[in-house]
Amino acid sequence: MDDFEARKYEIDVKLDRETTNLALLKESLDKSDNMTKNMLSILDTFNNRLRKLEATITPVYQETGNLQRRQENIDKSLCKLDNVLSFYHVAKEADPIIREGPSSGLETYLDCMAKLRGAVNYFTEDNPGSPELSTVSNLYETGKDNLEREFSSLLKRHSKPVTPVAVLNMIGTDEELPSDKRPESVCSAGSILGVEHISDRVVEELVQITKWLVDNRASTEFMNVYATVRSNNLMKTLQGVKDHLRKASSGSTSHGTPHSPLVTAKMRGAKDTPTRRTSKRVATFARKSTSLIRGSIHSLPIDPSGLKRQPSFSLDIKEEGSEIDIEIYMSCISALLKLAQSENQLLMRILPHEYQRKTFDLLIQSSLESIVNEGEQIAISARKLIAKHDFSGLLSIFPVVKHLRSVKVEFIQTLEGCQAPTRHKLTSLMDSLSTTGAKALESFIENIRNDSDKQSNMPKDGTVHELANNVLIFLEQLMDYGETAGAMLLEQEAKTTPTDLKRDDIFKHKLADYINKVLCALNLNLCNKSNCYGETLKAVFILNNYNYVLTSMKRSGVLEALTAYNKDVEKYYNEQLLEHMRLYSQSWSRVLHYIYEPSKPASLQKTPSPESGKLKDKERQTIKDKFAGFNKEMEELFRTQKTYASPDPELRAKLTKDNKDFILPKYRSFLEKYMTMNFSKTPDKYTKYSADDVSYMIDQFFEGAM
């Protein structure tokens, strides 16, 4: 019961508390409703006031905006009016500047031209019939013409030919440097490789003028002006180089010091290049090759080394001048290459990209055409000489082709982008020269085959024939242009060359094949010539010539080049030398006939004994006949072979030794056999020569070579 009461009391307490809370909550809600009603009333009042304010402000705002727009329009109109008024005054302001020209100040002049351009555009669009349009248009055209004239004037005033010394130094410096270290970039705005064509300041002015002319769609005639002026300047530079080299060459002739850039570069210690070894070798090459056909001297003196020495041909003025011209021509090719590269760099700085290649094509035409025409003249002159069997024409072809081959890649790179005829000019020239050279080489072989001599014109002493001498000199000189000659021949006979060889090996193979043909023709001709001699002199003649051919090939490197193609060459010549030494030894047969019986061994030959008593008359006469016959034949042999020649000391020493080894032992045995016999009352009449006398006589053989 107590628990029930307690529980009830607790519930009543809670109920009272909740009732109190509910009353408080209702009271709060009433207050909140009153506050809400008050706030809504305030908001309605504020909203009404805002509506009234908006109704008052909006017309003011709109009027203010209208006033602002009117102010802006007035400002724009005033600005436009000022601009229009300036167009009407621009002619008066620009006239003195235009008349004075760009030379007074290029920046000011270009600003003036911009104003005139604006005035022309305004009057053209807004007032095409106004007299002001004609005024500003005429003034603008005058200003444009002045700019074009200024461009031309600047070019002409500042385009001066490069000095020959500077060009030659440029060539020499470039050739001394390895290809990967050669300068390829511009040194400054107007110079390359240290050669300044136009100062930087002038280059910048030219750039500004060209940019304005291009941007304002002016005439592109200034591009032709640029090409013409720089082309003429390039021609003058090349002519100056040519004149300088001619003068220097004439000076070097009298003072003994060459002044050509090729030799000068060599004197500075530069490595030999295709353009630097022409003078002496080429002169020798020309004289020897020419003498091959037109020479008539067959018995030549011998120098201390024992080799055949050429007669002292006189070098006439024409021949010397031709040699100098070739060297100068090759120098001009190098000069043109370097100058063209320099001009190309300068042009790229001044002219817009879209005009560069066309302008450069025009610029290079005259100089390139001049070089090509000169090369064609060389080819024509060479063909005329070769047609007359004068192979000095090869003198002008080999070095030129070799030099063209060395600069071909650089020329192709320099002329890249030019028209096809321009790019192919030098290639066509090189092909023409190569064809001429290849035909000349083949013609040379034919002339060797067809070279004939009357017996009266053959060397009386059997010495080295001039044909062999000149052919070997020709081959030795040819080795200096081996790759060039191989390339020439390869172009003519490409189908006959193995395709599994490398490029350089193909050239060597072709050259070796050619040398082999030359030697075959020479050997055949020498054999035919030798038929005019007797057997002994024929053998001596072949010995001298084959020995000279072999030793000359060893000395000059021809044999080494040929061995790679034909390993049996040296073996063939050695076998021929042995064979003709054997044939030569047969000249002793008539002498041996009296002192030796080769059909019987010496032990079986019947020898009268001194103890057997007096010799029979028949036996004494037989011995006398032997001595008399030996003396006669020996004297005849001495008289004949004393006039023979053996210009090579080694060959002569070998022939002498073989002669002594062959005859002296037999003669000593003959003397020992008969000297003790009383075969004559006057034995000295028959025993005229001792073994030492015979040895001395043999030593006198081949005095024709002394």
Side-chain angles (χ1 to χ4, degrees):
M1 190 66 178
D2 290 337
D3 291 337
F4 178 77
E5 288 295 334
R7 181 66 178 166
K8 181 181 178 183
Y9 175 77
E10 184 179 351
I11 293 171
D12 289 338
V13 171
K14 288 182 179 180
L15 182 60
D16 291 338
R17 190 169 54 247
E18 293 296 332
T19 302
T20 302
N21 290 339
L22 181 61
L24 291 174
L25 180 61
K26 287 181 178 180
E27 183 180 357
S28 296
L29 288 173
D30 292 339
K31 290 180 179 180
S32 178
D33 289 339
N34 292 331
M35 291 176 67
T36 300
K37 291 177 181 179
N38 292 334
M39 181 60 68
L40 289 173
S41 176
I42 293 170
L43 290 174
D44 289 339
T45 302
F46 185 70
N47 190 33
N48 292 331
R49 290 180 179 180
L50 285 177
R51 287 194 188 96
K52 292 178 181 180
L53 180 62
E54 183 179 4
T56 303
I57 294 300
T58 298
V60 175
Y61 174 78
Q62 292 175 349
E63 184 64 23
T64 302
N66 292 334
L67 291 174
Q68 288 178 342
R69 283 193 294 274
R70 289 171 185 174
Q71 181 64 38
E72 290 176 358
N73 291 335
I74 290 171
D75 291 339
K76 290 180 180 179
S77 297
L78 290 174
C79 182
K80 187 70 173 177
L81 183 59
D82 289 339
N83 189 40
V84 170
L85 289 175
S86 68
F87 292 144
Y88 283 90
H89 297 291
V90 72
K92 182 178 180 180
E93 295 172 357
D95 185 71
I97 299 175
I98 298 301
R99 291 184 184 279
E100 191 172 356
S103 58
S104 60
L106 185 59
E107 293 289 346
T108 303
Y109 190 89
L110 292 179
D111 290 340
C112 181
M113 289 295 295
K115 293 178 181 179
L116 286 172
R117 179 68 179 176
V120 170
N121 292 338
Y122 168 76
F123 289 118
T124 301
E125 294 176 3
D126 298 330
N127 196 1
S130 65
E132 286 79 5
L133 175 59
S134 176
T135 301
V136 294
S137 296
N138 292 336
L139 199 57
Y140 179 77
E141 291 298 324
T142 301
K144 183 177 66 175
D145 293 341
N146 287 345
L147 277 174
E148 292 180 349
R149 282 195 293 270
E150 179 67 10
F151 182 87
S152 176
S153 177
L154 282 173
L155 270 180
K156 291 178 180 178
R157 288 201 312 268
H158 297 279
S159 293
K160 297 180 180 179
V162 182
T163 63
V165 173
V167 176
L168 300 182
N169 287 338
M170 182 168 59
I171 298 172
T173 300
D174 187 59
E175 288 183 348
E176 288 173 8
L177 292 175
S179 58
D180 58 342
K181 295 184 179 180
R182 294 180 183 176
E184 297 179 353
S185 59
V186 180
C187 300
S188 65
S191 65
I192 182 173
L193 297 174
V195 176
E196 186 176 66
H197 294 285
I198 302 175
S199 67
D200 293 351
R201 179 186 62 81
V202 176
V203 167
E204 290 303 321
E205 290 185 359
L206 291 171
V207 170
Q208 287 181 291
I209 294 174
T210 56
K211 185 177 185 305
W212 189 94
L213 292 173
V214 172
D215 291 345
N216 290 275
R217 296 183 177 87
S219 170
T220 57
E221 180 61 27
F222 72 95
M223 304 293 181
N224 296 331
V225 170
Y226 183 93
T228 301
V229 172
R230 296 306 302 171
S231 177
N232 293 337
N233 188 73
L234 180 56
M235 286 291 291
K236 290 178 181 178
T237 300
L238 287 176
Q239 187 61 45
V241 172
K242 191 178 299 183
D243 294 341
H244 174 80
L245 292 178
R246 290 187 191 280
K247 183 178 179 181
S249 298
S250 62
S252 66
T253 303
S254 59
H255 295 90
T257 304
H259 296 285
S260 95
L262 312 180
V263 181
T264 302
K266 187 186 290 185
M267 291 172 64
R268 290 199 298 264
K271 187 177 180 181
D272 216 17
T273 65
T275 62
R276 294 185 183 161
R277 33 160 134 167
T278 56
S279 184
K280 292 184 179 179
R281 292 181 179 179
V282 163
T284 304
F285 186 41
R287 292 195 294 270
K288 307 315 181 188
S289 300
T290 303
S291 65
L292 170 62
I293 301 302
R294 66 189 183 194
S296 59
I297 301 175
H298 299 284
S299 181
L300 305 176
I302 306 301
D303 62 13
S305 66
L307 297 176
K308 186 71 65 175
R309 187 169 65 237
Q310 283 289 309
S312 56
F313 293 103
S314 61
L315 183 62
D316 58 27
I317 296 176
K318 179 180 178 182
E319 202 169 88
E320 181 180 5
S322 176
E323 171 197 337
I324 294 172
D325 286 344
I326 295 304
E327 186 172 340
I328 292 174
Y329 177 67
M330 291 190 297
S331 299
C332 287
I333 292 175
S334 295
L336 175 60
L337 173 60
K338 294 298 139 193
L339 289 170
Q341 292 172 343
S342 180
E343 288 288 349
N344 190 33
Q345 294 287 350
L346 179 63
L347 177 143
M348 291 171 65
R349 296 300 302 268
I350 296 176
L351 301 184
H353 180 269
E354 61 268 25
Y355 297 101
Q356 289 174 3
R357 300 323 297 167
K358 180 180 179 181
T359 306
F360 183 71
D361 193 297
L362 295 174
L363 187 156
I364 201 67
Q365 281 297 325
S366 297
S367 300
L368 189 60
E369 192 70 29
S370 175
I371 289 292
V372 171
N373 288 340
E374 199 167 340
E376 289 291 351
Q377 288 302 315
I378 291 173
I380 292 172
S381 299
R383 285 193 286 268
K384 289 180 179 179
L385 289 172
I386 294 166
K388 299 176 182 178
H389 308 299
D390 181 351
F391 290 91
S392 62
L394 285 172
L395 155 71
S396 57
I397 293 178
F398 278 129
V400 172
V401 173
K402 186 173 185 179
H403 187 55
L404 285 173
R405 287 171 58 84
S406 69
V407 299
K408 179 181 178 181
V409 174
E410 286 189 83
F411 260 113
I412 290 175
Q413 293 173 348
T414 303
L415 299 176
E416 185 178 1
C418 294
Q419 295 183 5
T422 303
R423 298 197 310 271
H424 297 156
K425 283 183 184 295
L426 281 177
T427 303
S428 299
L429 172 62
M430 191 166 65
D431 291 343
S432 176
L433 289 169
S434 296
T435 301
T436 301
K439 291 181 179 179
L441 289 172
E442 295 299 331
S443 181
F444 185 78
I445 295 177
E446 290 300 318
N447 278 274
I448 294 174
R449 291 194 185 104
N450 300 327
D451 182 80
S452 59
D453 285 308
K454 295 181 179 179
Q455 185 171 353
S456 59
N457 292 331
M458 289 291 290
K460 305 299 182 183
D461 54 5
T463 188
V464 176
H465 196 278
E466 188 185 19
L467 177 66
N469 188 43
N470 288 325
V471 168
L472 266 296
I473 290 174
F474 177 91
L475 294 180
E476 181 177 353
Q477 298 296 334
L478 189 62
M479 293 301 295
D480 290 334
Y481 302 97
E483 182 177 336
T484 303
M488 287 180 177
L489 294 167
L490 183 65
E491 291 171 0
Q492 300 300 314
E493 304 177 14
K495 295 181 179 180
T496 64
T497 304
T499 57
D500 58 343
L501 298 176
K502 296 180 180 178
R503 181 175 179 271
D504 292 342
D505 292 337
I506 290 176
F507 295 153
K508 293 177 181 178
H509 182 279
K510 223 46 212 169
L511 178 64
D513 180 39
Y514 176 76
I515 294 174
N516 188 67
K517 292 178 181 179
V518 170
L519 292 177
C520 288
L522 175 63
N523 293 342
L524 178 62
N525 192 293
L526 291 174
C527 289
N528 292 335
K529 291 180 185 297
S530 68
N531 292 329
C532 68
Y533 296 121
E535 291 300 322
T536 301
L537 189 54
K538 176 180 180 180
V540 171
F541 177 77
I542 295 297
L543 278 173
N544 283 330
N545 282 273
Y546 279 25
N547 179 72
Y548 175 74
V549 170
L550 183 59
T551 55
S552 295
M553 288 197 299
K554 288 180 179 178
R555 183 186 68 253
S556 63
V558 174
L559 183 62
E560 181 181 358
L562 189 57
T563 302
Y565 171 77
N566 186 352
K567 297 181 179 180
D568 297 330
V569 173
E570 186 173 4
K571 178 182 177 182
Y572 167 78
Y573 278 101
N574 286 328
E575 289 176 350
Q576 289 297 311
L577 289 174
L578 289 175
E579 173 63 17
H580 285 85
M581 283 183 179
R582 183 188 67 79
L583 294 174
Y584 166 74
S585 66
Q586 294 179 2
S587 63
W588 289 97
S589 59
R590 288 171 34 174
V591 175
L592 289 177
H593 171 74
Y594 294 101
I595 62 174
Y596 183 66
E597 296 181 5
S599 60
K600 296 182 181 180
S603 59
L604 298 180
Q605 293 181 31
K606 185 176 181 180
T607 306
S609 173
E611 293 80 7
S612 62
K614 294 183 178 180
L615 295 172
K616 297 179 181 179
D617 292 341
K618 184 177 180 181
E619 291 175 337
R620 286 197 297 270
Q621 188 60 43
T622 299
I623 295 173
K624 290 178 182 179
D625 291 342
K626 286 180 178 290
F627 274 104
F630 173 82
N631 294 337
K632 179 182 177 182
E633 294 299 334
M634 187 65 204
E635 289 169 356
E636 177 63 22
L637 195 65
F638 173 72
R639 183 188 65 80
T640 302
Q641 298 207 20
K642 185 179 180 181
T643 63
Y644 292 172
S646 183
D648 186 350
E650 292 185 6
L651 178 61
R652 182 180 181 186
K654 180 172 179 56
L655 289 173
T656 300
K657 182 179 181 301
D658 288 349
N659 285 337
K660 290 181 179 180
D661 292 344
F662 186 67
I663 195 65
L664 288 181
K666 299 176 179 61
Y667 186 60
R668 287 192 181 98
S669 298
F670 177 76
L671 289 178
E672 291 173 0
K673 178 178 178 180
Y674 292 108
M675 284 294 290
T676 57
M677 297 181 181
N678 187 17
F679 63 87
S680 174
K681 294 180 180 180
T682 56
D684 292 342
K685 177 181 177 182
Y686 297 97
T687 57
K688 294 172 61 176
Y689 303 108
S690 65
D692 291 339
D693 293 334
V694 173
S695 176
Y696 178 77
M697 294 172 71
I698 293 175
D699 287 334
Q700 305 307 305
F701 284 11
F702 310 111
E703 279 192 347
M706 301 301 289

